[in-house]
Amino acid sequence: MRILLSNDDGILAPGLAALYRAVVDLGEVVVVAPSHPQSAAGHAITLRSPLTVQQVGLGAGREAFTALSVDGRPADCVRLAVRKLLPAPVDLVLAGINAGANVGINIFYSGTVAAAAEAAMLRLPAVAFSADVGAQEVDFDRAAGLCRWVLDRLLACGLHPGQLVNVNIPVLGPDRPRGVRVVPQSTAGVEDSYHRQEHPQGLESYRLGDSFSFAPAEGLTDVACLEEGYVTITPLKVDLTDPPRLDKLAEAQKTWPALPGQ
Ligand code: MN
């Protein structure tokens, strides 16, 4: 199995190396990741500047491996790798392990999920892995072991071309994780704030604060279950269409007059 591994925290991120070590025995693992941190890059791609690719040595000793760094966005890395850099077809794309949860509407801002979503758009199976951050630093080795456990289960269930899965590891502790939950994405809003900044030229300037929280959500969702200490698994779709409203609008459209000028 040929696996493409990418992330949004950048080529030097500990979560990338930990995920590499956790899956390297599955086959040939090729790492193509952004040269610099790209958190919250979302699904951006680079249009008007070239993408520079450099080979980078990572890890040490028996765990040393080479990777390709790309001075672009996470989605750039996956498209460029699949379309140009890799000599043979990719069987599976993994993104992560992100330092920070990617649940609820934060999925839209996530470069980690975008890297995996890009793979799904390229008709490849893809999984995004993220680890929630608590008071302590993330234990990426332990998180990676959990990611591998989930990946083995997903592969056993069948992970097909174009299928995208979002996996989040909770803040770990002696009694965490408490288990695994397959749950839908929460759509609860994020509560955060912008702070007025001094600007050297006296212009109006704001910075987004570091802390945020989710608005209260009802039911079993990725946000609620991750907070409670469960590993969460959410299958996602690139198709954002809302089928009930599609049907309703399509029905309404039958009664609309002709377009102006027709
Ligand atoms: Mn990140």
Side-chain angles (χ1 to χ4, degrees):
M1 180 157 60
R2 182 173 292 102
I3 299 173
L4 170 64
L5 175 54
S6 194
N7 75 347
D8 82 355
D9 290 336
I11 195 110
L12 299 177
L16 181 73
L19 187 55
Y20 176 89
R21 290 192 297 270
V23 301
V24 69
D25 65 298
L26 284 173
E28 181 193 345
V29 183
V30 183
V31 179
V32 183
S35 55
H36 297 89
Q38 297 291 327
S39 292
H43 212 114
I45 58 168
T46 303
L47 292 182
R48 292 186 181 82
S49 50
L51 295 167
T52 305
V53 182
Q54 288 185 290
Q55 194 161 309
V56 179
L58 298 175
R62 285 176 54 231
E63 294 187 335
F65 61 99
T66 57
L68 295 175
S69 103
V70 176
D71 62 344
R73 307 293 196 164
D76 287 322
C77 292
V78 171
R79 325 168 105 232
L80 186 64
V82 171
R83 292 200 165 136
K84 203 74 186 174
L85 301 180
L86 303 193
V90 174
D91 301 303
L92 174 66
V93 177
L94 306 177
I97 304 169
N98 188 63
N102 280 310
V103 286
I105 63 169
N106 282 345
I107 286 173
F108 284 96
Y109 309 115
S110 167
T112 308
V113 176
E118 184 64 35
M121 291 178 192
L122 294 168
R123 294 283 170 259
L124 297 167
V127 187
F129 294 104
S130 305
D132 200 3
V133 181
Q136 319 270 310
E137 282 190 17
V138 177
D139 178 347
F140 279 111
D141 283 330
R142 193 170 166 215
L146 294 163
C147 292
R148 173 59 189 269
W149 184 93
V150 172
L151 180 61
D152 286 342
R153 306 284 92 69
L154 294 175
L155 290 172
C157 282
L159 193 54
H160 300 292
Q163 291 187 341
L164 170 61
V165 184
N166 188 35
V167 177
N168 279 269
I169 306 299
V171 173
L172 299 173
D175 55 348
R176 281 165 162 248
R178 294 169 63 188
V180 185
R181 291 279 188 269
V182 177
V183 278
Q185 175 190 2
S186 166
T187 55
V190 166
E191 293 174 353
D192 53 17
S193 53
Y194 287 89
H195 305 287
R196 187 86 189 239
Q197 293 278 295
E198 289 293 322
H199 186 279
Q201 278 85 49
L203 298 175
E204 192 172 342
S205 172
Y206 300 90
R207 178 184 286 272
L208 181 59
D210 289 333
S211 64
F212 75 93
S213 60
F214 285 100
E218 288 179 6
L220 280 181
T221 64
D222 55 355
V223 168
C225 292
L226 189 72
E227 179 65 29
E228 287 168 15
Y230 292 93
V231 173
T232 64
I233 302 174
T234 304
L236 299 175
K237 278 170 75 176
V238 170
D239 183 354
L240 299 176
T241 311
D242 181 345
R245 283 173 52 230
L246 179 75
D247 291 347
K248 203 171 171 188
L249 269 183
E251 201 55 40
Q253 186 236 325
K254 292 175 186 166
T255 67
W256 294 348
L259 283 172
Q262 261 190 340

